[in-house]
Amino acid sequence: MRVLVVNKFYYPRGGDCVVAMNTVRLLRERGHEVAVYAMRYELNVDGCLAVASEVRFDGGVGAKVAALRRTLGLGDIVPGFGEVLRQFRPQVVHLHNIHSYLSPVVARLAHEHGCRVVWTMHDYKLVCPAYTCLRDGAPCDQCVAGSKWGVVRHRCMKGSLAASVVAWLEALRWNRRTLQRCTHAFICPSKFMATMLEKAGFDPERIKIVSNFDSSSSLSSSSSSSSLSSGSRNFNDPKSRSTSKSTSESLLYIGRLSPEKGVERLLEVAAQLPYRLLVAGSGPLDESLRQRYGNCPNIEFLGQLNQQQVKNLLPQVRATVLPSMWWENNPMSVIESLCAGTPVVGTNMGGIPELLTPDNGIVTTIDHLDSAIDEAMQRTWDRDAIASDARQRFSADAHYRQLMQIYTEQ
């Protein structure tokens, strides 16, 4: 089968990129001919069949006009993507994150070309013009089932009126009816995401629930070669992988350092608890959090880790913590932790509770994070059972079988 995988970036920028790249690897390992289409970007890894010209929303007037045209599906992306379809002749076009930097016009073009179009939902863009279903730092579903004008009224996009108007225009241009006409299946990694699409009026028959999968067994050896940020332990070093007192009594946060992730609340709690917290990730709060907590003796900032480094680190800690304050979809950090046999403390937001049971973690609220962490650190966990169960639930084989059914069903 020839499959064209489409994502706006093609490097490990975030969860959507990681899942898209893992999907490419999975399909190629099973013998399919796979090509990748992405936007031209300096950090992209090798392997793209073709790229769309780069657009930027932070440039001058000319750059902003070009970006707006791309958002609405105008400009060079139409002939460019059309040429890719003619050259590669895919049977299936699998979309991931495509809004703004590529545009949903690629779904329409693929459908007109006779391809089967499937689309994995990584965020809430189809129901929320601002992607996150957040307003003033709190979950919001105002636009889900009704008018999308709320994004302008509340300036949900970066607090900017101009950016919010663009998001509103984009939502009008690529509305539910338009997208459903050219998409055969919407893949939702969580039941929560599926519920949100149904609430927005999407056809339940086209909504398929397929969890993300664990790809750690097929990591390339090259991914383990990069080093940690300055001043951090090298968890690729076999000497550092032995379970020491400092790590065995540690908690680990893996993720973006941004407000909706609840990491500020986690650090506030951790500073008052007798456990060590390792913080792996980067983001807009990085500098401010280091200034406030960098001298705290039980908090250590590791910087951005690659997938292999995370894999090496997970068995060394007692538990991971996901203190999200927004509706998470199907976080890879939880799946990776469970597959390593490491229990998870997660808030009751979005799809997080779907992944956790009393045997592999604790579901809590952001206000009771401290007591949940304390319970997790005091409990005796069957880590072998956690890992065994998770590797079956989130196996690449199971994901592949579900994907093939969606690719081929009539």
Side-chain angles (χ1 to χ4, degrees):
M1 185 179 292
R2 289 188 304 279
V3 182
L4 179 62
V5 174
V6 184
N7 198 58
K8 52 191 179 185
F9 297 102
Y10 198 63
Y11 72 100
R13 176 187 177 99
D16 62 301
C17 300
V18 171
V19 171
M21 296 171 77
N22 287 343
T23 301
V24 170
R25 180 189 302 147
L26 177 69
L27 293 172
R28 286 175 175 166
E29 287 175 349
R30 266 63 175 185
H32 300 285
E33 187 177 353
V34 185
V36 179
Y37 184 82
M39 185 186 77
R40 181 179 293 112
Y41 195 70
E42 60 184 357
L43 296 179
N44 284 349
V45 301
D46 293 336
C48 294
L49 169 69
V51 292
S53 60
E54 183 178 1
V55 295
R56 301 181 64 91
F57 290 84
D58 57 356
V61 174
K64 287 183 170 64
V65 170
L68 176 60
R69 286 172 54 81
R70 174 67 57 80
T71 295
L72 299 178
L74 305 173
D76 60 355
I77 192 168
V78 174
F81 191 69
E83 182 61 25
V84 171
L85 293 172
R86 286 187 291 273
Q87 286 185 5
F88 185 60
R89 297 178 292 111
Q91 296 151 297
V92 175
V93 174
H94 190 157
L95 309 176
H96 289 268
N97 263 2
I98 59 173
H99 273 84
S100 302
Y101 291 98
L102 287 180
S103 167
V105 72
V106 298
R108 190 197 75 199
L109 294 170
H111 177 69
E112 292 172 350
H113 196 76
C115 306
R116 183 170 182 82
V117 179
V118 302
W119 193 344
T120 296
M121 302 290 101
H122 295 284
D123 55 39
Y124 299 98
K125 182 64 173 175
L126 298 196
V127 301
C128 168
Y131 293 91
T132 61
C133 284
L134 280 172
R135 176 158 62 91
D136 298 327
C140 170
D141 62 357
Q142 180 177 326
C143 292
V144 173
S147 168
K148 302 299 188 279
W149 180 250
V151 68
V152 177
R153 182 165 61 249
H154 303 294
R155 302 191 180 189
C156 296
M157 282 296 290
K158 306 176 183 179
S160 164
L161 177 60
S164 298
V165 168
V166 170
W168 174 68
L169 291 173
E170 186 178 26
L172 292 182
R173 175 70 179 89
W174 306 112
N175 57 64
R176 172 178 54 83
R177 292 184 180 86
T178 298
L179 297 180
Q180 267 193 167
R181 280 198 296 267
C182 56
T183 306
H184 296 86
F186 297 94
I187 298 177
C188 294
S190 67
K191 294 178 182 177
F192 185 88
M193 176 64 77
T195 299
M196 294 295 277
L197 259 62
E198 289 186 29
K199 185 175 180 179
F202 283 83
D203 181 5
E205 294 298 317
R206 300 193 187 202
I207 298 173
K208 312 295 181 181
I209 301 174
V210 182
S211 175
N212 293 326
F213 68 98
D214 171 49
S215 65
S216 60
S217 61
S218 59
L219 283 170
S220 64
S221 58
S222 62
S223 65
S224 65
S225 62
S226 63
S227 61
L228 295 174
S229 60
S230 178
S232 299
R233 292 188 303 277
N234 184 352
F235 292 102
N236 294 315
D237 183 350
K239 294 180 180 179
S240 73
R241 288 201 293 269
S242 60
T243 303
S244 65
K245 179 179 173 65
S246 62
T247 53
S248 65
E249 296 180 357
S250 294
L251 295 158
L252 173 63
Y253 170 81
I254 310 167
R256 183 170 168 79
L257 305 185
S258 54
E260 74 278 2
K261 291 292 188 177
V263 65
E264 290 177 284
R265 171 61 178 163
L266 173 60
L267 292 177
E268 177 185 333
V269 168
Q272 305 300 318
L273 292 174
Y275 314 114
R276 188 183 185 112
L277 173 67
L278 305 176
V279 180
S282 60
L285 295 180
D286 198 342
E287 184 176 349
S288 64
L289 292 177
R290 287 176 183 266
Q291 289 177 351
R292 289 163 58 190
Y293 296 100
N295 293 325
C296 189
N298 67 321
I299 295 177
E300 181 178 357
F301 291 88
L302 303 179
Q304 189 73 39
L305 306 187
N306 65 34
Q307 199 171 7
Q308 182 64 54
Q309 291 165 337
V310 170
K311 180 184 177 184
N312 291 340
L313 178 55
L314 281 169
Q316 301 184 48
V317 299
R318 183 71 63 86
T320 60
V321 187
L322 185 58
S324 287
M325 301 173 70
W326 78 300
W327 292 322
E328 291 273 1
N329 181 13
N330 187 239
M332 286 300 301
S333 60
V334 174
I335 292 174
E336 291 169 352
S337 182
L338 296 179
C339 288
T342 304
V344 178
V345 176
T347 48
N348 59 343
M349 301 298 291
I352 297 175
E354 299 173 30
L355 301 174
L356 301 182
T357 71
D359 294 326
N360 66 19
I362 298 172
V363 178
T364 185
T365 64
I366 195 71
D367 293 332
H368 295 90
L369 194 59
D370 51 353
S371 58
I373 288 175
D374 198 53
E375 179 184 349
M377 297 299 281
Q378 299 303 319
R379 280 183 57 180
T380 299
W381 301 92
D382 188 340
R383 297 176 72 109
D384 289 339
I386 292 174
S388 177
D389 177 69
R391 289 169 186 168
Q392 292 183 49
R393 287 175 65 192
F394 310 116
S395 74
D397 287 339
H399 186 89
Y400 175 74
R401 288 193 296 270
Q402 292 175 287
L403 212 55
M404 285 301 102
Q405 184 175 354
I406 294 170
Y407 282 1
T408 59
E409 68 183 2
Q410 299 301 314

